[in-house]
Amino acid sequence: MGQFAAAGALIAALSASAAMADAPANNTALNIMKSTAAVQAGKCDEALPALEALWNDPEFQAADPDTAEQFRFERILCTLTQNGAAAAMALSAENEHHAGASIASYDLHTFLLLSTKQIPAAAANVEEALTRFPDTASKLADMTVMATLLAVQDETTRYNLLNHLERVRWQIHDPSARLIIDTLRLHGLRAAVAAGDHGLAELYRADMAPDGYMYALIEGDGRLTDASVPAAPVQPVVRAQINEVKAYIASRPTDLLGLEYLIGLERSDDDHEVALVQLSGILTLIAQNGLQKFEQPNAYPSLIADKAQLLLDLQRAPEALTVFKEGTERMRGPGTIDFVIAYMNALIDTGQEKDALALESHITLVAMNASQKRALAATEACAFAYMKDTARYALSLSASADAHGIAAIKPYLCAGDMDGAAAALIARINDPASRDQAILLMQDVKPQVPHSVRDRDYVNAIAALRKRPDVLAAAKAQDIVVRAWPLRFEQY
């Protein structure tokens, strides 16, 4: 642990100081050594007396306040192990108001509050941290901030906290998590604009501008942008994002979610070959060292699907289908539902709808969430459309509808029903809950790479759908600005 390395140097300094003063013993150095040895040996019961002695040790605090704080953390965590959550929480609350406390003490206490499901208290604790330590707010950990924001159920509390984070200029440290915080920021931006708080709105805009996806979304919302003002070039933004994430992954090569985010950015910028080389390298390392050596192992099926998708984009369909087939036969557990659905879509695109439907035996229906059930229904509907099975097509199309009763758009296009697809898209444009999705659906982006004749027809149908007069009129009525973007965004 880091504090133990720092403690070694401190012990030497304290011992030298004691020797020069001809002191018979140095209790601070002795307590550091005792507690360090006991904690490293996993003997919290033996460590606690020495840690308690160090808690308010003025010599320790004066010599190295940061390391002294870390040893207070050790006392709290050992108390958690030995005496339970209530005792540790009480000690942690006391530590936050210790003379040597920094914002790191709030990180620990918020973690304890979240782990004991005291969500409102966790939010209040982060608020207090931002108020007491605005100049060092940037040091709050991603987990502290994001877990609190996402756990809070009361929207007013959530966005008051988000506004406070904006004002003290807190930024997420993991660039692969940008999309999550920026999705929350978009809500904050809209609220600031509605409230006429131009200063706060500009802070939000500045924070989201380096995210190409969110920038396109903001520029497509006529309530947030001036349609007469051209958008700034977005490709340099995406290139900067790619370089930032690459640098992050270079320092954390076991971060699978970070890699997944990078692959998505590179695909949007047509860096398919580069993305495939990077991904294949990591998958080789996983095969050699075991998935347990990597962070977020549940992302593994998505990475295999990404490899297959990259191969499809590079017109290497037989290889892609082999990757899908082997993955479906080998993988089980979290993440595989989306993988199998992606495989089904790939088979349907290449005219193998019966084989696609047979893959449903690999899906555990009770494990599916509502979104996955809708995605599966939409995939089934496309298969039935191509098979001319109108009865099962209608049932699957109905099952693809969201909570507002709006069916998926793709099945209509698979069935050649442009009027039905237009009606579904217009319904999504007019549904406030689908506004962000509708904005992106309407943007004039580079089309997805077609993988087959059937897929080419589908890509062309999407482009035609977006340009229908009734669809454009609905978008204009809902203040959606249609702009052209030199990127490939997944839209349907």
Side-chain angles (χ1 to χ4, degrees):
M1 299 179 68
Q3 67 266 31
F4 296 146
L10 183 62
I11 290 169
L14 289 169
S15 298
S17 175
M20 286 189 293
D22 200 26
N26 188 296
N27 289 332
T28 299
L30 184 60
N31 285 325
I32 290 173
M33 288 189 288
K34 284 182 177 179
S35 59
T36 299
V39 170
Q40 288 182 329
K43 298 178 180 179
C44 269
D45 55 334
E46 294 181 12
L48 278 172
L51 290 170
E52 183 177 357
L54 291 170
W55 184 270
N56 285 317
D57 185 324
E59 186 177 7
F60 194 11
Q61 182 64 39
D64 190 339
D66 291 340
T67 304
E69 185 177 38
Q70 292 296 319
F71 273 76
R72 291 198 300 277
F73 294 170
E74 288 299 337
R75 183 186 175 193
I76 293 165
L77 295 174
C78 274
T79 299
L80 179 65
T81 300
Q82 295 299 115
N83 303 318
M89 291 290 297
L91 198 58
S92 180
E94 178 186 339
N95 177 55
E96 284 191 314
H97 297 94
H98 188 283
S102 73
I103 204 163
S105 291
Y106 282 82
D107 259 327
L108 176 58
H109 195 60
T110 303
F111 166 77
L112 293 172
L113 288 167
L114 290 170
S115 65
T116 53
K117 303 189 185 308
Q118 299 181 60
I119 308 304
N125 199 61
V126 177
E127 286 277 12
E128 183 179 326
L130 300 177
T131 300
R132 279 192 64 191
F133 299 105
D135 294 339
T136 55
S138 61
K139 294 183 178 181
L140 274 179
D142 289 358
M143 181 60 70
T144 299
V145 172
M146 296 307 300
T148 303
L149 286 171
L150 296 174
V152 169
Q153 296 298 309
D154 180 67
E155 286 208 353
T156 300
T157 301
R158 176 186 296 131
Y159 289 104
N160 283 342
L161 177 55
L162 189 66
N163 289 342
H164 201 164
L165 288 161
E166 283 297 302
R167 291 189 171 104
V168 298
R169 311 308 297 132
W170 181 86
Q171 303 295 333
I172 201 155
H173 304 92
D174 176 356
S176 66
R178 280 208 58 138
L179 190 56
I180 301 174
I181 186 67
D182 284 348
T183 299
L184 295 172
R185 283 170 169 163
L186 181 62
H187 181 106
L189 170 61
R190 287 184 171 134
V193 169
D197 191 336
H198 302 297
L200 181 59
E202 288 310 306
L203 292 178
Y204 276 117
R205 288 184 197 277
D207 279 345
M208 286 187 282
D211 183 332
Y213 178 89
M214 295 305 295
Y215 179 71
L217 183 51
I218 292 169
E219 288 295 308
D221 187 344
R223 298 167 192 172
L224 299 176
T225 188
D226 183 345
S228 67
V229 178
V234 74
Q235 274 186 305
V237 174
V238 175
R239 293 306 312 171
Q241 280 183 271
I242 289 172
N243 291 334
E244 182 185 19
V245 179
K246 278 184 178 178
Y248 176 79
I249 291 175
S251 65
R252 293 186 62 176
T254 60
D255 185 346
L256 297 186
L257 281 180
L259 177 64
E260 184 182 5
Y261 182 63
L262 174 62
I263 297 301
L265 288 171
E266 290 175 331
R267 280 189 62 209
S268 74
D269 200 37
D270 278 345
D271 285 344
H272 298 89
E273 291 277 10
V274 171
L276 183 59
V277 170
Q278 291 169 336
L279 180 54
S280 297
I282 294 296
L283 292 176
T284 298
L285 290 175
I286 292 173
Q288 292 173 345
N289 299 287
L291 189 56
Q292 73 278 2
K293 298 289 181 64
F294 290 78
E295 301 171 57
Q296 304 99 19
N298 289 351
Y300 181 70
S302 295
L303 294 176
I304 300 296
D306 284 340
K307 180 177 181 179
Q309 186 63 51
L310 288 167
L311 289 168
L312 286 172
D313 289 344
L314 293 167
Q315 306 303 323
R316 294 160 62 178
E319 293 175 71
L321 293 177
T322 297
V323 170
F324 271 128
K325 183 176 184 294
E326 291 177 351
T328 300
E329 292 172 348
R330 188 176 69 252
M331 293 188 298
R332 295 291 184 273
T336 55
I337 292 172
D338 295 333
F339 179 86
V340 174
I341 293 174
Y343 183 18
M344 291 175 68
N345 279 308
L347 287 172
I348 293 168
D349 286 345
T350 53
Q352 303 175 68
E353 49 271 4
K354 290 184 179 179
D355 291 337
L357 292 171
L359 288 173
E360 290 188 10
S361 62
H362 292 269
I363 296 176
T364 304
L365 296 179
V366 294
M368 300 178 75
N369 59 38
S371 177
Q372 289 169 330
K373 289 177 181 177
R374 292 194 298 271
L376 177 60
T379 300
E380 292 172 335
C382 272
F384 294 134
Y386 290 125
M387 293 168 68
K388 308 300 183 184
D389 188 335
T390 55
R392 287 198 287 178
Y393 166 76
L395 287 173
S396 294
L397 180 64
S398 177
S400 75
D402 63 17
H404 299 269
I406 305 172
I409 296 169
K410 183 175 181 178
Y412 290 107
L413 298 176
C414 293
D417 183 1
M418 287 293 286
D419 289 340
L425 178 51
I426 290 169
R428 208 163 289 286
I429 288 170
N430 292 329
D431 176 22
S434 302
R435 178 171 175 73
D436 289 346
Q437 183 186 20
I439 290 170
L440 287 175
L441 288 173
M442 288 303 300
Q443 298 307 298
D444 184 12
V445 299
K446 289 178 72 172
Q448 295 302 306
V449 179
H451 310 135
S452 64
V453 173
R454 182 178 282 180
D455 204 24
R456 182 200 62 206
D457 292 342
Y458 166 65
V459 170
N460 291 338
I462 288 175
L465 176 65
R466 226 188 265 119
K467 295 176 181 177
R468 279 177 57 125
D470 53 349
V471 171
L472 289 171
K476 183 177 181 180
Q478 293 298 332
D479 298 318
I480 293 176
V481 180
V482 179
R483 299 184 189 270
W485 303 98
L487 299 171
R488 301 187 196 275
F489 287 149
E490 292 284 358
Q491 293 183 302
Y492 288 82

